[in-house]
Amino acid sequence: MLVCRNEAIKTLYVIPGQDLVTDEAQALRTEFKGWIGQKTERLVLDLARVQTIDPVGLETIVAVYNWLRTTGGELIVENASSDLKKLFLLIRGDGRLTISGTGWPGSKDTA
């Protein structure tokens, strides 16, 4: 998992290295605990390498999203498959969740 922080614009960039299943989700959760207390206006979650998200992965993403909502931040999901885009649209609620128009590189996914 690659995690970069741009302090100038208070943005975190997170790129999971594989499907967001239990092990990778737990690694993301561990990273997430380190972010608490830091002012973050947006988190960009790039799912280019993710085809599957299990319940633990989804729970982790929802926890990050809820944390950002409480701080006035925004979650930006990039490179999600059309199925994942639909799932994120269902959980959007009243927070700031942006799902980019991009999909799998070379795919025709649109949501």
Side-chain angles (χ1 to χ4, degrees):
M1 176 177 320
L2 176 64
V3 179
C4 299
R5 182 171 180 86
N6 183 329
E7 290 292 338
I9 59 173
K10 296 180 175 47
T11 300
L12 278 168
Y13 300 90
V14 179
I15 305 170
Q18 59 190 17
D19 290 344
L20 207 47
V21 294
T22 303
D23 290 343
E24 190 77 355
Q26 288 174 341
L28 178 59
R29 190 173 289 264
T30 299
E31 289 284 341
F32 168 62
K33 289 178 184 176
W35 306 330
I36 294 175
Q38 297 180 24
K39 178 62 178 156
T40 301
E41 293 181 5
R42 73 193 53 78
L43 186 143
V44 179
L45 180 61
D46 187 339
L47 299 178
R49 298 178 183 158
V50 176
Q51 292 184 6
T52 303
I53 298 177
D54 74 0
V56 176
L58 184 59
E59 178 184 338
T60 301
I61 292 170
V62 170
V64 169
Y65 176 59
N66 287 335
W67 168 69
L68 286 164
R69 281 181 34 185
T70 62
T71 62
E74 175 183 21
L75 175 61
I76 300 170
V77 177
E78 292 188 343
N79 298 314
S81 68
S82 61
D83 289 338
L84 290 176
K85 287 179 190 178
K86 290 173 188 171
L87 178 64
F88 290 124
L89 286 171
L90 290 174
I91 66 167
R92 180 181 354 215
D94 61 351
R96 294 174 59 205
L97 172 62
T98 301
I99 298 135
S100 74
T102 58
W104 285 94
S107 77
K108 305 244 187 278
D109 282 347
T110 57

